[in-house]
Amino acid sequence: NIVPAEAASRWEIRAEKRSTVDALEKRFFDIAQGACLMTGATYSWRYFENKFDNCINFDSLDRLMVDAIHTSGYTNVKVSTDAGAGSTDVGNVSQVCPTVHVNMGVGNMDGYTCHEEPFLQYTDGKGAYEILRNAIYAQTYLSVEACTDATVRQMLAEAKGQLKQDA
């Protein structure tokens, strides 16, 4: 076998918290540098997407969204504070703006993950479109509540204040 003169790969390092990603990233680059020193190779890198921050959740806002989803008629809701939720760019948004992130199940009883092709059967069809409609109704309902309900406005103001304190 002949070793190619050049090779390329794409790596993504993910974890629940940004601090963990940063520590793992440093180790990754140390390993790459060590391999280069041992073999005489060189490497270069660039970020192919933004880094993802961990999501800042506010229980009070999550409860409002879950209630809004229930009002829409949908009950299979999972709040993203579960460690299994994974990283997402909404974490970056949540650093500067109170953010709600919930997952609405699509009826996947076969155990496929969203990164597997068979999962597509659950995301493109009548059931998925009904869930999407309910999500749109819930977001619209909560947006109207944020504009018209003094209690909801106060909750949002407190969350914004907390973000500024933590910054």
Side-chain angles (χ1 to χ4, degrees):
N1 291 345
I2 297 175
V3 176
E6 293 185 22
S9 64
R10 180 180 268 186
W11 295 82
E12 183 176 1
I13 300 170
R14 295 177 72 170
E16 184 179 351
K17 294 186 177 185
R18 176 66 168 269
S19 59
T20 305
V21 170
D22 291 343
L24 290 171
E25 183 178 85
K26 182 188 177 325
R27 289 180 64 196
F28 181 85
F29 287 128
D30 287 347
I31 291 167
Q33 183 62 37
C36 288
L37 289 170
M38 289 187 300
T39 62
T42 60
Y43 79 98
S44 64
W45 62 270
R46 68 177 176 82
Y47 291 107
F48 62 90
E49 65 182 359
N50 292 331
K51 289 185 174 184
F52 296 146
D53 285 323
N54 44 295
C55 195
I56 297 173
N57 295 296
F58 293 94
D59 291 339
S60 57
L61 301 180
D62 287 344
R63 281 192 304 275
L64 283 175
M65 187 63 186
V66 169
D67 289 346
I69 292 169
H70 288 165
T71 298
S72 80
Y74 190 77
T75 58
N76 186 11
V77 181
K78 184 177 185 181
V79 176
S80 67
T81 54
D82 175 21
S87 58
T88 175
D89 55 358
V90 77
N92 297 31
V93 173
S94 76
Q95 302 293 312
V96 295
C97 175
T99 305
V100 174
H101 186 228
V102 297
N103 297 309
M104 298 175 69
V106 293
N108 174 19
M109 303 306 284
D110 299 322
Y112 295 113
T113 68
C114 62
H115 299 289
E116 294 179 274
E117 190 168 337
F119 187 78
L120 290 173
Q121 68 183 314
Y122 299 104
T123 60
D124 187 19
K126 182 181 177 192
Y129 292 112
E130 287 176 14
I131 293 166
L132 180 59
R133 184 197 70 229
N134 287 7
I136 292 167
Y137 288 165
Q139 288 178 329
T140 303
Y141 175 82
L142 192 52
S143 296
V144 170
E145 289 285 296
C147 294
T148 61
D149 186 307
T151 303
V152 173
R153 284 197 309 274
Q154 179 62 34
M155 292 169 82
L156 287 169
E158 288 171 4
K160 285 180 191 177
Q162 185 65 46
L163 284 176
K164 287 180 182 177
Q165 277 183 332
D166 293 344

